[in-house]
Amino acid sequence: MNTIVTGTCSLVLALLGWGEVEHWRASKRRLGSAVPRHGTSEAIVVLGFRNRGNRINAVNRWRVRAGLRSLDRAEGRLVLSGGPAGGGRPEAELMADYARGVCGYSGELLVETESRSTWENVRNVIPLIEDADRIKLVSHSLHAEKARAYLWRQRPDLATRLVKARDYRFGEWLLIKPALALLGLRNLRRIARSSVG
């Protein structure tokens, strides 16, 4: 019995550790190389998650907080992206209400309310981030990497300005990181095999 318990615990710990490592690795991939060291502006793009109904869900609340903690500069702008993919109100509007009302964010904030997929999120925010010296895409780490891959495909000139966001934190979302890693790695493999998003 003790062997079964020990084996099960070891397997669970290994799985949780694997999920953590995959997210950490993803947070460092597909970043730009031509980012100006002393650029004065940055755009933090927060990608919405399918929100059913007219109340912001837990995932979108977390993504807004991760976006806010990714702001490094006074000239930073928060760009919230997401249409009404799962409910009545666009995800970007729900996230904007949360950023302003609950989190107390008072800086520059732009919303993009038409997107229904990650490819569209990236495509539709391009006019809102073209002038930024530094660009951060915020979501869980593998989804953010997927968005960075899409920006490299759609606008490689802008992708050279990609810098690391603060969406990865050790232990955060620990129990679901393995599932998110499996889904994320599958999606990244699909991107690598396809010629479009």
Short mmCIF file of all heavy atoms in Angstrom, two decimals, residues 74-138:
data_model
loop_
_atom_site.label_atom_id
_atom_site.label_comp_id
_atom_site.label_asym_id
_atom_site.label_seq_id
_atom_site.Cartn_x
_atom_site.Cartn_y
_atom_site.Cartn_z
N ALA A 74 5.97 54.44 -16.87
CA ALA A 74 4.88 55.40 -16.74
C ALA A 74 4.18 55.61 -18.07
O ALA A 74 3.00 55.92 -18.13
CB ALA A 74 5.40 56.72 -16.20
N GLU A 75 4.93 55.43 -19.17
CA GLU A 75 4.36 55.62 -20.50
C GLU A 75 3.65 54.37 -21.01
O GLU A 75 3.27 54.29 -22.17
CB GLU A 75 5.46 56.00 -21.51
CG GLU A 75 6.23 57.25 -21.16
CD GLU A 75 7.41 56.96 -20.24
OE1 GLU A 75 7.59 55.78 -19.84
OE2 GLU A 75 8.13 57.89 -19.90
N GLY A 76 3.51 53.37 -20.16
CA GLY A 76 2.89 52.12 -20.58
C GLY A 76 1.40 52.28 -20.85
O GLY A 76 0.73 53.09 -20.22
N ARG A 77 0.92 51.47 -21.79
CA ARG A 77 -0.52 51.46 -22.06
C ARG A 77 -1.01 50.03 -21.96
O ARG A 77 -0.34 49.10 -22.39
CB ARG A 77 -0.81 52.07 -23.42
CG ARG A 77 -0.92 51.13 -24.58
CD ARG A 77 -1.18 51.84 -25.90
NE ARG A 77 -0.22 52.88 -26.13
CZ ARG A 77 0.57 52.94 -27.21
NH1 ARG A 77 0.46 52.04 -28.17
NH2 ARG A 77 1.43 53.91 -27.35
N LEU A 78 -2.18 49.88 -21.38
CA LEU A 78 -2.81 48.58 -21.26
C LEU A 78 -3.79 48.43 -22.42
O LEU A 78 -4.65 49.28 -22.63
CB LEU A 78 -3.55 48.52 -19.92
CG LEU A 78 -4.06 47.18 -19.44
CD1 LEU A 78 -2.90 46.21 -19.22
CD2 LEU A 78 -4.86 47.36 -18.15
N VAL A 79 -3.62 47.34 -23.17
CA VAL A 79 -4.49 47.06 -24.31
C VAL A 79 -5.22 45.75 -24.00
O VAL A 79 -4.59 44.71 -23.85
CB VAL A 79 -3.69 46.93 -25.62
CG1 VAL A 79 -4.61 46.62 -26.79
CG2 VAL A 79 -2.87 48.20 -25.89
N LEU A 80 -6.53 45.82 -23.90
CA LEU A 80 -7.35 44.66 -23.57
C LEU A 80 -8.06 44.18 -24.82
O LEU A 80 -8.71 44.97 -25.50
CB LEU A 80 -8.34 45.02 -22.46
CG LEU A 80 -7.69 45.64 -21.22
CD1 LEU A 80 -8.74 46.14 -20.26
CD2 LEU A 80 -6.76 44.66 -20.55
N SER A 81 -7.92 42.89 -25.11
CA SER A 81 -8.42 42.38 -26.38
C SER A 81 -9.34 41.19 -26.17
O SER A 81 -9.01 40.23 -25.49
CB SER A 81 -7.22 41.96 -27.26
OG SER A 81 -7.67 41.41 -28.47
N GLY A 82 -10.53 41.26 -26.79
CA GLY A 82 -11.46 40.16 -26.76
C GLY A 82 -12.88 40.60 -27.05
O GLY A 82 -13.38 41.54 -26.44
N GLY A 83 -13.48 39.92 -27.98
CA GLY A 83 -14.87 40.22 -28.34
C GLY A 83 -15.84 39.38 -27.51
O GLY A 83 -15.45 38.73 -26.55
N PRO A 84 -17.11 39.37 -27.91
CA PRO A 84 -18.12 38.60 -27.17
C PRO A 84 -18.11 37.13 -27.59
O PRO A 84 -19.10 36.59 -28.07
CB PRO A 84 -19.43 39.30 -27.57
CG PRO A 84 -19.16 39.82 -28.95
CD PRO A 84 -17.70 40.19 -28.98
N ALA A 85 -16.97 36.46 -27.41
CA ALA A 85 -16.82 35.09 -27.89
C ALA A 85 -17.70 34.09 -27.14
O ALA A 85 -18.12 33.09 -27.71
CB ALA A 85 -15.35 34.66 -27.79
N GLY A 86 -17.97 34.35 -25.87
CA GLY A 86 -18.75 33.38 -25.11
C GLY A 86 -20.00 33.95 -24.47
O GLY A 86 -20.75 33.23 -23.83
N GLY A 87 -20.22 35.24 -24.62
CA GLY A 87 -21.37 35.85 -23.95
C GLY A 87 -21.80 37.12 -24.63
O GLY A 87 -21.45 37.38 -25.77
N GLY A 88 -22.55 37.93 -23.90
CA GLY A 88 -23.11 39.15 -24.47
C GLY A 88 -22.13 40.29 -24.62
O GLY A 88 -22.01 40.88 -25.68
N ARG A 89 -21.39 40.62 -23.56
CA ARG A 89 -20.46 41.74 -23.60
C ARG A 89 -19.08 41.29 -24.04
O ARG A 89 -18.64 40.21 -23.68
CB ARG A 89 -20.34 42.38 -22.22
CG ARG A 89 -21.48 43.30 -21.88
CD ARG A 89 -21.21 44.05 -20.59
NE ARG A 89 -20.21 45.10 -20.76
CZ ARG A 89 -19.54 45.64 -19.77
NH1 ARG A 89 -19.71 45.22 -18.53
NH2 ARG A 89 -18.68 46.59 -20.00
N PRO A 90 -18.39 42.12 -24.79
CA PRO A 90 -17.02 41.78 -25.17
C PRO A 90 -16.13 41.60 -23.93
O PRO A 90 -16.25 42.34 -22.95
CB PRO A 90 -16.54 42.98 -25.99
CG PRO A 90 -17.81 43.60 -26.51
CD PRO A 90 -18.82 43.37 -25.43
N GLU A 91 -15.24 40.61 -24.00
CA GLU A 91 -14.32 40.33 -22.90
C GLU A 91 -13.49 41.57 -22.56
O GLU A 91 -13.22 41.84 -21.38
CB GLU A 91 -13.40 39.17 -23.28
CG GLU A 91 -14.13 37.87 -23.48
CD GLU A 91 -13.45 36.93 -24.47
OE1 GLU A 91 -12.32 37.23 -24.91
OE2 GLU A 91 -14.06 35.90 -24.79
N ALA A 92 -13.08 42.31 -23.59
CA ALA A 92 -12.23 43.49 -23.36
C ALA A 92 -12.95 44.52 -22.49
O ALA A 92 -12.32 45.16 -21.63
CB ALA A 92 -11.81 44.11 -24.69
N GLU A 93 -14.25 44.70 -22.67
CA GLU A 93 -15.00 45.66 -21.86
C GLU A 93 -15.10 45.19 -20.41
O GLU A 93 -14.96 45.99 -19.48
CB GLU A 93 -16.40 45.87 -22.43
CG GLU A 93 -16.42 46.63 -23.74
CD GLU A 93 -17.84 46.80 -24.29
OE1 GLU A 93 -18.81 46.35 -23.63
OE2 GLU A 93 -17.95 47.38 -25.39
N LEU A 94 -15.34 43.89 -20.21
CA LEU A 94 -15.39 43.35 -18.86
C LEU A 94 -14.04 43.52 -18.16
O LEU A 94 -13.98 43.90 -16.98
CB LEU A 94 -15.79 41.88 -18.89
CG LEU A 94 -17.20 41.57 -19.41
CD1 LEU A 94 -17.38 40.07 -19.61
CD2 LEU A 94 -18.25 42.10 -18.47
N MET A 95 -12.97 43.26 -18.90
CA MET A 95 -11.63 43.40 -18.32
C MET A 95 -11.32 44.87 -18.01
O MET A 95 -10.69 45.18 -17.00
CB MET A 95 -10.57 42.80 -19.25
CG MET A 95 -10.66 41.29 -19.35
SD MET A 95 -9.24 40.52 -20.20
CE MET A 95 -9.41 41.17 -21.86
N ALA A 96 -11.78 45.78 -18.88
CA ALA A 96 -11.56 47.21 -18.64
C ALA A 96 -12.28 47.66 -17.38
O ALA A 96 -11.71 48.40 -16.56
CB ALA A 96 -12.02 48.02 -19.85
N ASP A 97 -13.52 47.22 -17.19
CA ASP A 97 -14.27 47.55 -15.98
C ASP A 97 -13.52 47.05 -14.74
O ASP A 97 -13.44 47.74 -13.72
CB ASP A 97 -15.67 46.94 -16.00
CG ASP A 97 -16.58 47.59 -17.03
OD1 ASP A 97 -16.22 48.66 -17.57
OD2 ASP A 97 -17.65 47.01 -17.31
N TYR A 98 -12.98 45.85 -14.82
CA TYR A 98 -12.25 45.26 -13.69
C TYR A 98 -10.95 46.02 -13.42
O TYR A 98 -10.63 46.33 -12.27
CB TYR A 98 -11.96 43.78 -13.99
CG TYR A 98 -11.25 43.07 -12.88
CD1 TYR A 98 -11.93 42.70 -11.73
CD2 TYR A 98 -9.90 42.76 -12.98
CE1 TYR A 98 -11.29 42.03 -10.69
CE2 TYR A 98 -9.25 42.10 -11.95
CZ TYR A 98 -9.94 41.74 -10.81
OH TYR A 98 -9.30 41.09 -9.80
N ALA A 99 -10.21 46.35 -14.48
CA ALA A 99 -8.95 47.07 -14.31
C ALA A 99 -9.17 48.42 -13.66
O ALA A 99 -8.45 48.82 -12.74
CB ALA A 99 -8.25 47.24 -15.66
N ARG A 100 -10.19 49.14 -14.12
CA ARG A 100 -10.46 50.48 -13.59
C ARG A 100 -11.15 50.41 -12.22
O ARG A 100 -10.72 51.07 -11.28
CB ARG A 100 -11.37 51.26 -14.55
CG ARG A 100 -10.74 51.59 -15.88
CD ARG A 100 -9.95 52.86 -15.81
NE ARG A 100 -9.65 53.37 -17.14
CZ ARG A 100 -8.47 53.85 -17.48
NH1 ARG A 100 -7.49 53.88 -16.61
NH2 ARG A 100 -8.27 54.30 -18.70
N GLY A 101 -12.23 49.62 -12.15
CA GLY A 101 -13.06 49.63 -10.95
C GLY A 101 -12.47 48.88 -9.77
O GLY A 101 -12.42 49.39 -8.66
N VAL A 102 -12.01 47.66 -9.99
CA VAL A 102 -11.53 46.83 -8.88
C VAL A 102 -10.04 47.04 -8.63
O VAL A 102 -9.60 47.18 -7.49
CB VAL A 102 -11.83 45.34 -9.16
CG1 VAL A 102 -11.25 44.46 -8.07
CG2 VAL A 102 -13.33 45.11 -9.30
N CYS A 103 -9.25 47.08 -9.70
CA CYS A 103 -7.79 47.20 -9.54
C CYS A 103 -7.32 48.64 -9.42
O CYS A 103 -6.18 48.88 -9.05
CB CYS A 103 -7.09 46.52 -10.72
SG CYS A 103 -7.46 44.76 -10.86
N GLY A 104 -8.19 49.60 -9.74
CA GLY A 104 -7.83 51.01 -9.59
C GLY A 104 -6.85 51.54 -10.62
O GLY A 104 -6.20 52.56 -10.39
N TYR A 105 -6.76 50.88 -11.77
CA TYR A 105 -5.83 51.33 -12.80
C TYR A 105 -6.33 52.65 -13.40
O TYR A 105 -7.49 52.77 -13.79
CB TYR A 105 -5.71 50.27 -13.89
CG TYR A 105 -4.83 50.68 -15.04
CD1 TYR A 105 -3.46 50.84 -14.86
CD2 TYR A 105 -5.36 50.91 -16.31
CE1 TYR A 105 -2.64 51.21 -15.91
CE2 TYR A 105 -4.55 51.29 -17.36
CZ TYR A 105 -3.19 51.44 -17.15
OH TYR A 105 -2.39 51.81 -18.20
N SER A 106 -5.45 53.65 -13.48
CA SER A 106 -5.86 54.95 -14.00
C SER A 106 -5.02 55.39 -15.19
O SER A 106 -5.15 56.52 -15.64
CB SER A 106 -5.76 56.01 -12.89
OG SER A 106 -4.44 56.09 -12.40
N GLY A 107 -4.17 54.52 -15.70
CA GLY A 107 -3.33 54.86 -16.85
C GLY A 107 -4.06 54.72 -18.17
O GLY A 107 -5.27 54.50 -18.22
N GLU A 108 -3.28 54.83 -19.25
CA GLU A 108 -3.86 54.71 -20.59
C GLU A 108 -4.39 53.29 -20.79
O GLU A 108 -3.71 52.31 -20.49
CB GLU A 108 -2.80 55.03 -21.64
CG GLU A 108 -3.35 55.03 -23.05
CD GLU A 108 -2.33 55.38 -24.11
OE1 GLU A 108 -1.16 55.64 -23.76
OE2 GLU A 108 -2.70 55.37 -25.29
N LEU A 109 -5.61 53.19 -21.31
CA LEU A 109 -6.25 51.90 -21.51
C LEU A 109 -6.99 51.92 -22.84
O LEU A 109 -7.79 52.83 -23.08
CB LEU A 109 -7.21 51.60 -20.36
CG LEU A 109 -7.83 50.22 -20.32
CD1 LEU A 109 -8.10 49.81 -18.88
CD2 LEU A 109 -9.12 50.15 -21.10
N LEU A 110 -6.72 50.94 -23.67
CA LEU A 110 -7.40 50.80 -24.96
C LEU A 110 -8.08 49.43 -25.00
O LEU A 110 -7.57 48.46 -24.43
CB LEU A 110 -6.40 50.92 -26.11
CG LEU A 110 -5.57 52.21 -26.17
CD1 LEU A 110 -4.50 52.11 -27.24
CD2 LEU A 110 -6.47 53.41 -26.41
N VAL A 111 -9.22 49.36 -25.68
CA VAL A 111 -9.91 48.08 -25.82
C VAL A 111 -10.10 47.74 -27.28
O VAL A 111 -10.31 48.60 -28.12
CB VAL A 111 -11.28 48.07 -25.09
CG1 VAL A 111 -11.10 48.17 -23.60
CG2 VAL A 111 -12.19 49.15 -25.61
N GLU A 112 -10.01 46.45 -27.54
CA GLU A 112 -10.27 45.89 -28.87
C GLU A 112 -11.37 44.86 -28.65
O GLU A 112 -11.18 43.88 -27.94
CB GLU A 112 -8.99 45.25 -29.43
CG GLU A 112 -9.14 44.61 -30.79
CD GLU A 112 -9.88 43.29 -30.74
OE1 GLU A 112 -9.46 42.38 -30.01
OE2 GLU A 112 -10.91 43.17 -31.45
N THR A 113 -12.55 45.06 -29.23
CA THR A 113 -13.74 44.29 -28.85
C THR A 113 -14.31 43.39 -29.95
O THR A 113 -15.44 42.93 -29.82
CB THR A 113 -14.86 45.27 -28.40
OG1 THR A 113 -15.17 46.15 -29.48
CG2 THR A 113 -14.43 46.07 -27.19
N GLU A 114 -13.56 43.13 -30.98
CA GLU A 114 -14.09 42.33 -32.10
C GLU A 114 -13.53 40.91 -32.18
O GLU A 114 -14.11 40.06 -32.83
CB GLU A 114 -13.80 43.05 -33.43
CG GLU A 114 -14.42 44.44 -33.53
CD GLU A 114 -15.92 44.42 -33.39
OE1 GLU A 114 -16.56 43.53 -34.00
OE2 GLU A 114 -16.46 45.27 -32.68
N SER A 115 -12.40 40.65 -31.56
CA SER A 115 -11.70 39.36 -31.73
C SER A 115 -12.47 38.19 -31.16
O SER A 115 -13.07 38.29 -30.08
CB SER A 115 -10.33 39.42 -31.05
OG SER A 115 -9.55 40.42 -31.62
N ARG A 116 -12.38 37.07 -31.86
CA ARG A 116 -12.99 35.83 -31.38
C ARG A 116 -11.99 34.67 -31.36
O ARG A 116 -12.36 33.53 -31.11
CB ARG A 116 -14.20 35.47 -32.25
CG ARG A 116 -15.32 36.48 -32.10
CD ARG A 116 -16.51 36.16 -32.99
NE ARG A 116 -17.56 37.12 -32.81
CZ ARG A 116 -18.54 37.01 -31.92
NH1 ARG A 116 -18.58 35.99 -31.11
NH2 ARG A 116 -19.47 37.93 -31.83
N SER A 117 -10.73 34.97 -31.63
CA SER A 117 -9.68 33.96 -31.59
C SER A 117 -8.35 34.65 -31.28
O SER A 117 -8.24 35.87 -31.38
CB SER A 117 -9.58 33.23 -32.94
OG SER A 117 -9.08 34.11 -33.93
N THR A 118 -7.35 33.86 -30.96
CA THR A 118 -6.03 34.43 -30.66
C THR A 118 -5.44 35.10 -31.90
O THR A 118 -4.84 36.17 -31.81
CB THR A 118 -5.09 33.34 -30.13
OG1 THR A 118 -5.71 32.69 -29.02
CG2 THR A 118 -3.77 33.93 -29.67
N TRP A 119 -5.61 34.47 -33.06
CA TRP A 119 -5.12 35.07 -34.31
C TRP A 119 -5.73 36.46 -34.50
O TRP A 119 -5.04 37.42 -34.83
CB TRP A 119 -5.46 34.17 -35.49
CG TRP A 119 -4.99 34.69 -36.82
CD1 TRP A 119 -5.73 35.43 -37.71
CD2 TRP A 119 -3.69 34.55 -37.39
NE1 TRP A 119 -4.97 35.74 -38.81
CE2 TRP A 119 -3.71 35.22 -38.65
CE3 TRP A 119 -2.52 33.92 -36.99
CZ2 TRP A 119 -2.60 35.26 -39.49
CZ3 TRP A 119 -1.42 33.97 -37.83
CH2 TRP A 119 -1.47 34.64 -39.06
N GLU A 120 -7.05 36.57 -34.27
CA GLU A 120 -7.73 37.86 -34.41
C GLU A 120 -7.30 38.84 -33.32
O GLU A 120 -7.17 40.04 -33.59
CB GLU A 120 -9.25 37.66 -34.37
CG GLU A 120 -9.79 36.97 -35.61
CD GLU A 120 -11.30 36.77 -35.56
OE1 GLU A 120 -11.97 37.30 -34.64
OE2 GLU A 120 -11.82 36.07 -36.45
N ASN A 121 -7.09 38.35 -32.09
CA ASN A 121 -6.58 39.23 -31.02
C ASN A 121 -5.33 39.95 -31.51
O ASN A 121 -5.22 41.18 -31.41
CB ASN A 121 -6.18 38.44 -29.77
CG ASN A 121 -7.34 37.94 -28.94
OD1 ASN A 121 -7.34 36.79 -28.52
ND2 ASN A 121 -8.32 38.77 -28.67
N VAL A 122 -4.39 39.17 -32.01
CA VAL A 122 -3.11 39.73 -32.44
C VAL A 122 -3.32 40.68 -33.63
O VAL A 122 -2.83 41.81 -33.63
CB VAL A 122 -2.12 38.61 -32.77
CG1 VAL A 122 -0.85 39.16 -33.41
CG2 VAL A 122 -1.78 37.80 -31.51
N ARG A 123 -4.05 40.22 -34.62
CA ARG A 123 -4.28 41.06 -35.81
C ARG A 123 -4.95 42.38 -35.46
O ARG A 123 -4.56 43.44 -35.94
CB ARG A 123 -5.15 40.29 -36.82
CG ARG A 123 -5.38 41.04 -38.12
CD ARG A 123 -6.44 40.38 -38.96
NE ARG A 123 -7.74 40.45 -38.30
CZ ARG A 123 -8.74 39.60 -38.50
NH1 ARG A 123 -8.61 38.60 -39.34
NH2 ARG A 123 -9.88 39.75 -37.86
N ASN A 124 -5.94 42.31 -34.58
CA ASN A 124 -6.74 43.50 -34.30
C ASN A 124 -6.07 44.50 -33.36
O ASN A 124 -6.47 45.67 -33.33
CB ASN A 124 -8.11 43.09 -33.74
CG ASN A 124 -8.95 42.37 -34.78
OD1 ASN A 124 -8.67 42.39 -35.97
ND2 ASN A 124 -9.98 41.69 -34.33
N VAL A 125 -5.07 44.07 -32.58
CA VAL A 125 -4.40 45.02 -31.71
C VAL A 125 -3.21 45.70 -32.39
O VAL A 125 -2.68 46.68 -31.85
CB VAL A 125 -3.92 44.39 -30.37
CG1 VAL A 125 -5.10 43.85 -29.59
CG2 VAL A 125 -2.84 43.37 -30.57
N ILE A 126 -2.82 45.23 -33.56
CA ILE A 126 -1.65 45.80 -34.22
C ILE A 126 -1.74 47.33 -34.36
O ILE A 126 -0.77 48.02 -34.02
CB ILE A 126 -1.38 45.10 -35.56
CG1 ILE A 126 -0.77 43.71 -35.29
CG2 ILE A 126 -0.47 45.93 -36.47
CD1 ILE A 126 -0.62 42.82 -36.51
N PRO A 127 -2.86 47.90 -34.80
CA PRO A 127 -2.91 49.37 -34.89
C PRO A 127 -2.75 50.07 -33.53
O PRO A 127 -2.36 51.23 -33.49
CB PRO A 127 -4.30 49.65 -35.47
CG PRO A 127 -4.72 48.38 -36.12
CD PRO A 127 -4.08 47.28 -35.33
N LEU A 128 -3.03 49.35 -32.44
CA LEU A 128 -2.96 49.94 -31.10
C LEU A 128 -1.57 49.83 -30.48
O LEU A 128 -1.30 50.47 -29.45
CB LEU A 128 -3.98 49.27 -30.17
CG LEU A 128 -5.42 49.21 -30.68
CD1 LEU A 128 -6.31 48.46 -29.71
CD2 LEU A 128 -5.95 50.62 -30.92
N ILE A 129 -0.69 49.05 -31.08
CA ILE A 129 0.63 48.82 -30.50
C ILE A 129 1.78 49.18 -31.44
O ILE A 129 2.95 49.08 -31.05
CB ILE A 129 0.80 47.35 -30.03
CG1 ILE A 129 0.74 46.38 -31.21
CG2 ILE A 129 -0.26 47.00 -28.98
CD1 ILE A 129 1.05 44.94 -30.86
N GLU A 130 1.47 49.61 -32.66
CA GLU A 130 2.52 49.84 -33.67
C GLU A 130 3.58 50.84 -33.23
O GLU A 130 4.73 50.73 -33.62
CB GLU A 130 1.90 50.32 -34.98
CG GLU A 130 1.31 49.21 -35.80
CD GLU A 130 0.76 49.70 -37.12
OE1 GLU A 130 -0.07 50.62 -37.10
OE2 GLU A 130 1.18 49.15 -38.14
N ASP A 131 3.21 51.81 -32.42
CA ASP A 131 4.17 52.85 -32.04
C ASP A 131 4.91 52.53 -30.75
O ASP A 131 5.75 53.31 -30.31
CB ASP A 131 3.45 54.20 -31.89
CG ASP A 131 2.39 54.18 -30.79
OD1 ASP A 131 1.89 53.08 -30.46
OD2 ASP A 131 2.09 55.24 -30.24
N ALA A 132 4.65 51.39 -30.12
CA ALA A 132 5.29 51.05 -28.84
C ALA A 132 6.71 50.57 -29.06
O ALA A 132 6.99 49.82 -30.00
CB ALA A 132 4.48 49.99 -28.11
N ASP A 133 7.61 50.98 -28.17
CA ASP A 133 8.99 50.52 -28.23
C ASP A 133 9.14 49.11 -27.71
O ASP A 133 10.03 48.37 -28.13
CB ASP A 133 9.88 51.45 -27.39
CG ASP A 133 9.89 52.86 -27.93
OD1 ASP A 133 10.12 53.03 -29.13
OD2 ASP A 133 9.65 53.80 -27.13
N ARG A 134 8.27 48.74 -26.77
CA ARG A 134 8.31 47.41 -26.15
C ARG A 134 6.89 46.86 -26.14
O ARG A 134 5.96 47.58 -25.81
CB ARG A 134 8.85 47.51 -24.72
CG ARG A 134 10.24 48.10 -24.64
CD ARG A 134 10.55 48.71 -23.27
NE ARG A 134 10.39 47.79 -22.17
CZ ARG A 134 11.32 46.94 -21.75
NH1 ARG A 134 12.48 46.93 -22.36
NH2 ARG A 134 11.10 46.14 -20.74
N ILE A 135 6.75 45.58 -26.46
CA ILE A 135 5.43 44.95 -26.53
C ILE A 135 5.44 43.71 -25.66
O ILE A 135 6.34 42.87 -25.76
CB ILE A 135 5.06 44.57 -27.98
CG1 ILE A 135 5.03 45.82 -28.87
CG2 ILE A 135 3.74 43.82 -28.03
CD1 ILE A 135 4.97 45.52 -30.36
N LYS A 136 4.41 43.59 -24.80
CA LYS A 136 4.25 42.41 -23.96
C LYS A 136 2.87 41.82 -24.22
O LYS A 136 1.88 42.54 -24.19
CB LYS A 136 4.37 42.78 -22.48
CG LYS A 136 5.73 43.35 -22.11
CD LYS A 136 5.76 43.82 -20.68
CE LYS A 136 7.10 44.45 -20.35
NZ LYS A 136 7.14 45.00 -18.99
N LEU A 137 2.83 40.53 -24.48
CA LEU A 137 1.57 39.82 -24.67
C LEU A 137 1.32 38.97 -23.42
O LEU A 137 2.17 38.16 -23.04
CB LEU A 137 1.61 38.95 -25.92
CG LEU A 137 1.87 39.70 -27.23
CD1 LEU A 137 1.95 38.75 -28.41
CD2 LEU A 137 0.80 40.74 -27.48
N VAL A 138 0.16 39.14 -22.81
CA VAL A 138 -0.12 38.55 -21.50
C VAL A 138 -1.27 37.55 -21.59
O VAL A 138 -2.36 37.86 -22.08
CB VAL A 138 -0.46 39.64 -20.46
CG1 VAL A 138 -0.86 39.02 -19.13
CG2 VAL A 138 0.71 40.60 -20.28
#
